[in-house]
Amino acid sequence: MQWTGVMPAMTTMFHPDLSVDHAFVARHARWLLENGCSGIVCLGSLGEAATLAFDERVAVLSTVVAAVSGRAPVVAAISALSTAEAVGLALAAERSGVAGLMILPPYVYKGDWREMKAHIGAILKATPLEAMLYNNPVAYGTDFLPRQIAELAGEYSNLTAVKESSMDVRRVTAIRALTGNRLAISVGVDDAIVEGIRAGAVGWIAGLVNALPRESVDLFDLASAGRGEEADELYRWFLPLLRMDTVPKFIQLIKQVQQELGIGSARVRPPRLEIIGDELAAVRAAVEHARAARPAIAVASTPFGD
């Protein structure tokens, strides 16, 4: 499993009745790979996994695995209220044919390190699939400290990556200081990607990539190649959109950007509701500005075809 490059935390599109639109999900996954993404992460927070029933989650995984046909790894995000459910989902994900797991702390309950280590360890022991630990203390209230991540890596050989979303790029260097190259570190917040790469990150679990994959891949590649001036030019243009990935309504905002660009719909499952009023106007203004101010270095993604 290669935890490098740009891997979309893929949105889950819905029909008007809010059932999963599997045909669109498959088409979207293929389009993201066509534009240079290195893999697909399904069922993350951006994928609205918390609103999907267990069987719906497994069905999404099966759809994406079939759609990409082995061209790139498919990663299943594992999140649940209980450890038992998380283990069950990991086993179901393995049976569906995914290449790896992205493990989140349990929803709602914010345990201490002993409890969180036991939860993560149970999932890692349940399957030999390689796994990425998702650290997002801002969203989930559980902070896996660098020394704790190193402890997990020392005990579980199939923990091979970290998605670091603490919004502190110093975490990248802190994890590397303790683990060397043992773990592949990915940035998990869109508006810290260039800084994260400069600190040593090798991957990006991205959000706005769902609407602008070629632009995202080019930004990652330029930053990774040390082409600073070009990366900064593309980054400055992209940042107003990338910042939508870091606020509470990031799902609604990113899906709205997709709709504005003809990449699916803004439909979300309640309790989320589509944005309206000033919020909607702000997204539309940001998209129009991006269209009008697109620099030559910002090569457009391919048309979203069949």
Side-chain angles (χ1 to χ4, degrees):
M1 177 74 200
Q2 295 296 314
W3 301 99
T4 55
V6 181
M7 301 181 73
M10 194 168 74
T11 51
T12 303
M13 283 295 154
F14 302 119
H15 291 293
D17 66 358
L18 298 185
S19 61
V20 176
D21 185 345
H22 285 275
F24 183 94
V25 167
R27 178 183 172 195
H28 192 201
R30 290 191 294 266
W31 180 69
L32 292 168
L33 296 184
E34 174 187 313
N35 280 281
C37 294
S38 59
I40 303 290
V41 179
C42 302
L43 307 179
S45 303
L46 186 50
E48 295 175 79
T51 71
L52 301 179
F54 189 97
D55 289 346
E56 287 181 309
R57 298 190 195 193
V58 177
V60 167
L61 294 176
S62 297
T63 292
V64 177
V65 168
V68 306
S69 302
R71 288 184 292 155
V74 177
V75 175
I78 305 298
S79 58
L81 287 168
S82 71
T83 301
E85 183 184 2
V87 167
L89 182 58
L91 292 171
E94 181 184 11
R95 291 191 295 270
S96 76
V98 301
L101 308 176
M102 185 176 76
I103 304 175
L104 284 69
Y107 286 143
V108 182
Y109 183 63
K110 303 172 181 62
D112 62 21
W113 167 233
R114 181 176 68 92
E115 293 171 318
M116 293 301 97
K117 182 181 178 182
H119 177 81
I120 301 299
I123 300 166
L124 289 167
K125 286 187 288 190
T127 167
L129 289 176
E130 289 190 39
M132 165 181 278
L133 177 67
Y134 182 10
N135 185 42
N136 189 337
V138 177
Y140 302 122
T142 298
D143 191 1
F144 294 102
L145 301 175
R147 60 176 174 78
Q148 295 168 343
I149 293 170
E151 187 175 327
L152 283 168
E155 296 183 24
Y156 299 98
S157 60
N158 59 328
L159 178 63
T160 55
V162 177
K163 177 185 177 183
E164 182 51 62
S165 297
S166 64
M167 300 191 183
D168 182 356
V169 296
R170 295 174 299 174
R171 288 294 186 92
V172 176
T173 52
I175 295 167
R176 283 208 174 281
L178 294 174
T179 63
N181 293 321
R182 167 71 178 78
L183 299 171
I185 303 174
S186 287
V187 173
V189 286
D190 280 2
D191 65 351
I193 182 56
V194 171
E195 298 89 336
I197 290 170
R198 288 169 179 165
V202 297
W204 181 13
I205 311 300
L208 266 297
V209 66
N210 282 281
L212 296 158
R214 170 51 59 189
E215 295 86 340
S216 299
V217 170
D218 285 351
L219 177 60
F220 180 88
D221 288 346
L222 289 169
S224 297
R227 295 165 62 181
E229 290 187 10
E230 295 163 287
D232 288 344
E233 181 184 2
L234 184 52
Y235 201 26
R236 282 192 297 271
W237 168 78
F238 211 168
L239 268 173
L241 297 176
L242 295 177
R243 291 187 179 118
M244 295 180 188
D245 181 55
T246 62
V247 296
K249 291 186 180 180
F250 71 108
I251 296 170
Q252 295 97 311
L253 297 178
I254 291 173
K255 279 191 160 182
Q256 187 66 49
V257 173
Q258 287 187 246
Q259 178 167 296
E260 297 301 318
L261 295 176
I263 318 297
S265 80
R267 284 188 287 269
V268 288
R269 278 188 175 177
R272 292 180 180 86
L273 298 174
E274 293 178 40
I275 57 172
I276 59 173
D278 291 345
E279 290 178 314
L280 177 58
V283 171
R284 287 177 169 165
V287 170
E288 286 309 308
H289 179 267
R291 283 183 169 131
R294 176 183 286 270
I297 198 169
V299 177
S301 300
T302 60
F304 188 73
D306 296 328

